[in-house]
Amino acid sequence: MLNFYPGPSKVYPEVRTYLVDAYDEGIMNTPHRGEQFVQMSRAVVNSIKRKLNIPQDYYIFFASSATECWEILIQSLTRHKSYHIYNGSFGEKWFEYAKKLRPQAEGFQFDLNEPMPVSDLHISPDTELICFTQNETSNGTQVGPTTILNLHNRFRDTLTAVDATSSMAGLNLKLIKADIWFASVQKCFGLPPGLAVMACSPRAIFRAKKMAERSHYNSLVPMYEKMLNYQTTHTPNELNIYLLKRMLEDRPFIKGIEQDLTDRAQDLYTFFEQFADFRPLVENEEVRSKTVITLAGNEKLVEDAKKRALHHNIRLGNGYGPWARNTFRIANFPAILDEEYEELKRFFLHYYA
């Protein structure tokens, strides 16, 4: 089965070997307060910073999912309200979740074919956290580095949190331009679901310690205190942390990975331009995602393409949210090989050219 679903997506084939090694090394039953786990956790933190170009003074944390990170950040970094900028389903879900915890949370929705309109944002001085999704998995849009820089420059006194679930470990993100970045590992990391990585700036940790919120299972201050010794507040997903360690050791630096994905994304967008029945959902090339290609078409034909592909052992991603019926999505993640995309192209040329 060729898996182009944008999460959970294809895992690196080496994961099979890593799993056997984890069993042989006793990772699956090692005490999470023991030295073996501490050494592994320390190695992972160092590799994440080195391979993904994360500032050395940022703190790394483990959570179960990006959705859990939404909760951690709202409960531990805000007392009153956050401000959410979104153009798709996951950014909107983050906003809706925040309102359940902080009813005063505010949101700003912009069009999927437009860059984030930083100059149009009216964020009040009492806003404690600005939140947005760098790569919107639901519709295949992205917030580019220039826009992130402009947002940082305009609201530099306010903490900024970025959901990078379908881009971290695929793109060379400039983490210094925001205070918090997080992602689940079942996308560009090429690993099974059940683990998220979160990077926090010293400024974010200063705010967390000032708030001193300790009322929850996943409060940020206790997480910070434990990670000073490379431990977690709970029994973590040790197996996936081990897989993350091994994956990072075997992968190139993020700059090279980003270039490969950028070239392949351009090739895929160019390839689908020849089809009359399918077109990119996002017309503005400036804001198209490099890691999630979303194609739109007639509802009946989209459903036919997904079913026909599955019959040929090719799994396309369903559409999501408002675009559930008239789109399908193609993951452009590092674990997927170039020859697999060539097989995908042959399929579309055979049936839809």
Side-chain angles (χ1 to χ4, degrees), residues 324-337:
R325 297 176 63 86
N326 71 324
T327 67
F328 62 90
R329 296 171 296 162
I330 299 171
N332 180 29
F333 296 161
I336 308 174
L337 302 176

Side-chain angles (χ1 to χ4, degrees), residues 57-59 159 175 178-181 199-206:
D57 61 350
Y58 276 47
Y59 298 87
L159 292 180
L175 273 72
D179 295 283
I180 305 107
W181 299 76
C200 294
S201 71
R203 209 166 67 130
I205 298 304
F206 179 82

Side-chain angles (χ1 to χ4, degrees), residues 45-319:
V45 169
N46 291 336
S47 291
I48 288 173
K49 290 183 177 182
R50 191 166 59 92
K51 288 295 182 73
L52 301 188
N53 198 22
I54 296 175
Q56 286 300 309
D57 61 350
Y58 276 47
Y59 298 87
I60 304 298
F61 302 99
F62 302 121
S64 64
S65 66
T67 305
E68 185 186 11
C69 293
W70 296 350
E71 182 177 76
I72 293 169
L73 299 175
I74 298 302
Q75 69 194 15
S76 292
L77 294 178
T78 72
R79 288 192 176 92
H80 306 291
K81 70 177 181 180
S82 51
Y83 189 97
H84 297 256
I85 313 162
Y86 61 92
N87 71 354
S89 296
F90 289 101
E92 185 175 16
K93 282 185 175 184
W94 190 2
F95 172 43
E96 295 296 331
Y97 198 91
K99 285 197 292 185
K100 294 178 182 179
L101 298 174
R102 304 287 186 263
Q104 296 181 51
E106 297 177 339
F108 180 94
Q109 184 173 12
F110 63 101
D111 187 79
L112 63 84
N113 273 301
E114 297 178 359
M116 180 194 291
V118 175
S119 59
D120 294 340
L121 299 175
H122 299 287
I123 301 177
S124 59
D126 61 340
T127 298
E128 297 157 291
L129 186 67
I130 298 171
C131 306
F132 68 93
T133 302
Q134 190 277 327
N135 197 87
E136 179 54 71
T137 316
S138 67
N139 58 27
T141 59
Q142 68 166 359
V143 179
T146 300
T147 300
I148 296 174
L149 175 62
N150 292 338
L151 185 71
H152 169 77
N153 288 339
R154 186 173 177 202
F155 301 104
R156 62 174 64 246
D157 292 335
T158 306
L159 292 180
T160 305
V162 186
D163 184 334
T165 291
S166 53
S167 55
M168 185 181 282
L171 301 183
N172 187 17
L173 303 165
K174 305 300 184 289
L175 273 72
I176 195 69
K177 300 307 178 186
D179 295 283
I180 305 107
W181 299 76
F182 57 90
S184 301
V185 300
Q186 70 269 19
K187 299 180 187 291
C188 287
F189 283 92
L191 296 174
L195 179 69
V197 173
M198 182 167 65
C200 294
S201 71
R203 209 166 67 130
I205 298 304
F206 179 82
R207 163 75 64 77
K209 289 196 289 187
K210 186 175 180 180
M211 278 190 56
E213 187 276 308
R214 294 175 176 270
S215 302
H216 298 87
Y217 162 84
N218 52 11
S219 296
L220 188 52
V221 171
M223 291 174 66
Y224 160 76
E225 291 171 344
K226 284 295 184 184
M227 278 302 285
L228 290 175
N229 294 315
Y230 299 97
Q231 295 184 6
T232 55
T233 56
H234 57 284
T235 305
N237 189 336
E238 295 184 66
L239 176 58
N240 226 340
I241 293 172
Y242 174 83
L243 298 179
L244 177 60
K245 172 182 176 292
R246 294 293 301 275
M247 182 276 294
L248 289 166
E249 290 171 349
D250 291 346
R251 299 277 77 79
F253 288 92
I254 191 61
K255 186 176 181 180
I257 292 175
E258 179 184 55
Q259 187 60 56
D260 291 342
L261 293 191
T262 299
D263 294 342
R264 197 159 67 186
Q266 184 57 55
D267 178 71
L268 288 168
Y269 282 120
T270 300
F271 171 77
F272 280 102
E273 285 176 358
Q274 65 187 296
F275 296 93
D277 296 321
F278 303 113
R279 67 188 186 283
L281 174 66
V282 183
E283 298 173 359
N284 184 354
E285 296 182 14
E286 180 186 351
V287 297
R288 283 180 185 166
S289 169
K290 297 176 181 178
T291 55
V292 179
I293 286 77
T294 304
L295 299 166
N298 174 273
E299 290 184 9
K300 186 175 180 180
L301 195 61
V302 165
E303 188 63 25
D304 175 78
K306 291 189 295 183
K307 289 182 178 179
R308 195 184 295 269
L310 200 59
H311 180 73
H312 289 270
N313 291 320
I314 298 173
R315 180 178 288 120
L316 301 174
N318 293 328

